[in-house]
Amino acid sequence: MNMKTVSNVSKQSPLQHKQGAMRLLYRYRWYYLMMLPGIIYYIIYHYIPMSGLIIAFKDYNLSKGIFGSEWVGFDNFKTIFASPEFFRILRNTLVISVYRILFNMLPDILLALLLNEIRLLWFKRVIQTITYGPYFLSWVIVYGLAVAFLAQESGIINYYIRELGGAPINFLASNEYFRPIIILTDIWKNTGFGAIIYLAALATINNELYEAAAIDGANRWRLMWHVTLPGLRDVFILLLILRIGHIMDAGFEQIYIFLNARVYESGDIIDTWVFRRGLEELEFSVAIATNLFKSVIGFVLVIGANKLSKKFGGSGIW
């Protein structure tokens, strides 16, 4: 009797699960309907174009098209790795990306903590507006400002160097200064936006934690150390994982605008090299193969960083 009941339940459970899923689908139908435009967008503009990755394994010819071009297997990848420039651009990409992670995340947190401690609301809004404003400037405008300050002949900094009796420095065409300029301009432009993300995280911290710590005698520094910073941990880890996933990018738009032939040794990255090979030299197959290589490395890094985050007590992405 009991065995038959168990058997009947096991036979009916898939149908029951299906009916339950249909009820949930109908119950939340309007939410799914609102999701539909976003899903369609990603299918059309992100997933369907992925079929073009087949170009990485072909000798792509514009006149023959994707499917008419000759299949060459991994020859394009061999061309990439055999290029005398590959290890230089790989090194530059990794170094600049690591610099971005090390030096760009700390200012975001510091600015958010400082804004969080300001009690005058009008002053807080003014500072936040000033620091957030550069985020809306294009990199072309930022480069123009950099030229105004750093140009060898007309730059403000070189003007004072000459006034003090020194020789002008060509900052924008020097391998020694290129990476610091990239990092500093990126900090100036994006710190305000990064701080907003942390401010949103700070708003979710329970005020009762601050009150309990204050009752125990904690001062403002102790409150920040024992309540505020732990409240930012999960957001920091999430942003760190996302940055690690993009470690092979290094910021194409900024690098391309600041780059010139004299700083290729320290500033030429994978994306700028792909741009020249793909669009200027029309080697589409090599360019697509390079981007596929980047995507695979980024995917592996995100999976690895997410697992490490969970192993050491973080929340991870999923």
Side-chain angles (χ1 to χ4, degrees), residues 45-207:
Y45 294 104
H46 290 269
Y47 286 96
I48 293 178
M50 288 177 66
S51 61
L53 291 175
I54 195 175
I55 295 175
F57 304 95
K58 292 196 169 193
D59 182 13
Y60 180 67
N61 187 295
L62 283 171
S63 61
K64 295 180 180 179
I66 296 177
F67 299 103
S69 299
E70 180 184 357
W71 181 272
V72 295
F74 290 95
D75 286 356
N76 292 316
F77 294 93
K78 294 177 182 178
T79 301
I80 295 168
F81 299 138
S83 172
E85 300 174 326
F86 176 74
F87 290 102
R88 172 173 58 83
I89 62 175
L90 179 61
R91 182 195 68 225
N92 292 339
T93 302
L94 294 176
V95 168
I96 293 175
S97 293
V98 170
Y99 282 173
R100 287 182 189 275
I101 293 174
L102 292 178
F103 298 111
N104 288 26
M105 296 191 72
L106 185 60
D108 298 349
I109 297 177
L110 290 177
L111 179 60
L113 292 175
L114 291 173
L115 290 173
N116 189 58
E117 295 298 321
I118 296 176
R119 295 295 175 257
L120 293 175
L121 186 59
W122 67 268
F123 184 69
K124 179 178 179 179
R125 289 176 177 174
V126 169
I127 297 300
Q128 193 169 353
T129 302
I130 293 173
T131 55
Y132 188 47
Y135 178 76
F136 295 98
L137 300 178
S138 70
W139 280 115
V140 175
I141 296 176
V142 175
Y143 179 72
L145 293 173
V147 170
F149 279 91
L150 303 174
Q152 185 173 11
E153 299 299 329
S154 59
I156 296 174
I157 293 178
N158 275 312
Y159 169 79
Y160 286 106
I161 290 176
R162 283 193 294 267
E163 288 293 314
L164 294 172
I169 302 171
N170 194 357
F171 292 101
L172 297 174
S174 169
N175 283 298
E176 181 182 358
Y177 294 103
F178 181 79
R179 291 172 184 168
I181 290 171
I182 291 296
I183 300 303
L184 289 174
T185 52
D186 188 61
I187 291 173
W188 178 77
K189 186 177 186 297
N190 294 317
T191 296
F193 177 78
I196 287 179
I197 298 176
Y198 289 107
L199 285 172
L202 288 172
T204 64
I205 298 176
N206 193 341
N207 286 327

Side-chain angles (χ1 to χ4, degrees), residues 244-263:
I244 289 174
H246 289 278
I247 202 169
M248 300 295 287
D249 292 334
F252 167 74
E253 185 179 359
Q254 180 192 14
I255 299 294
Y256 182 73
I257 291 172
F258 278 77
L259 192 67
N260 58 75
R262 297 184 65 177
V263 292

